[in-house]
Amino acid sequence: MRRDYTLYLFAALGSFLIIYIALPLVVIFLKQVADPGMLVKTLQDPLVIESLRNSLLTATATALIALLFGVPLGYVLARREFRGKSLAQALVDVPIVIPHSVVGIMLLVTFSNAILDSYTGIIAVMLFVSAPFTINASRDGFLAVDEKLEHVARTLGASRLRAFFSVSLPMAFPSIASGAIMTWARAISEVGAILIVAYYPKTAQVLVMEYFNNYGLRASRPISVVLIALSLTIFVLLRWLVGRSKNA
């Protein structure tokens, strides 16, 4: 048989994106290693520590809220046909295509002082831009679960709610967890809309922009490195836990 080089070709083409993504990460870490004094100074700055805490807490709160409301919505979208379903699914995807600055203006016009410069405003922005990941992942996860399994549970006396928690939710959990991780990641990466809605209390994303505008690249680089390191560590850890759960 002739050797098929298709996979090698695809791997070579795909490697471009891997390298393109990895290169800036490697470069920024190497440049920061060459300037340890600035990193130590940044880690001793109370404002930096507080901003990192704000980012982690608000992103985590956003992911939990998205799970609370997004999983039930994903289940309905997976299990029921109803008038307006296409519109509902389209609305779920709308935040993905709206420019971030426009999101901030929309939310500020809608909720005004209720979200201005507050933790509520930060979470409101993060939830708007990141909830679609949880909703869509939940829907896809429940679609992958054969509805007949729920019917079997109900014939054995389980209510729909009990069948949901004992059959559908455990089987769809890996997909839901992946969606939650992406929601958290998208939330902690948001900056454009937060700048408009809630400049205070400071998040790390906003502080990076402020330091860059006021003090330049060298001052903003250490905060960026710390934020990248924290985000990647948590992201990889959560992915690993989900992978172990899926394999189990």
Side-chain angles (χ1 to χ4, degrees), residues 26 31 35 52 118 159 169 193 196 242 245:
V26 173
K31 285 186 176 293
D35 187 14
L52 289 168
S118 65
S159 64
L169 186 60
I196 293 174
V242 170
S245 174

Side-chain angles (χ1 to χ4, degrees), residues 58-70:
T58 51
T60 302
T62 299
L64 293 175
I65 295 171
L67 281 171
L68 177 63
F69 295 100

Side-chain angles (χ1 to χ4, degrees), residues 113-164:
N113 291 334
I115 63 172
L116 184 63
D117 287 338
S118 65
Y119 287 108
T120 303
I122 297 171
I123 294 173
V125 168
M126 289 181 171
L127 185 63
F128 189 93
V129 300
S130 64
F133 293 99
T134 293
I135 299 169
N136 288 331
S138 300
R139 180 198 62 209
D140 294 342
F142 289 124
L143 283 173
V145 178
D146 193 340
E147 194 171 2
K148 293 178 181 178
L149 297 175
E150 291 183 27
H151 295 325
V152 171
R154 298 192 68 186
T155 60
L156 296 175
S159 64
R160 177 178 286 276
L161 187 61
R162 185 175 179 183
F164 169 80

Side-chain angles (χ1 to χ4, degrees), residues 116-118 122 193-203 206-207 209-211 213-214:
L116 184 63
D117 287 338
S118 65
I122 297 171
I194 294 177
L195 281 169
I196 293 174
V197 172
Y199 196 81
Y200 299 99
K202 283 281 195 332
T203 59
V206 171
L207 193 63
M209 293 294 299
E210 182 180 289
Y211 272 40
N213 290 330
N214 294 337

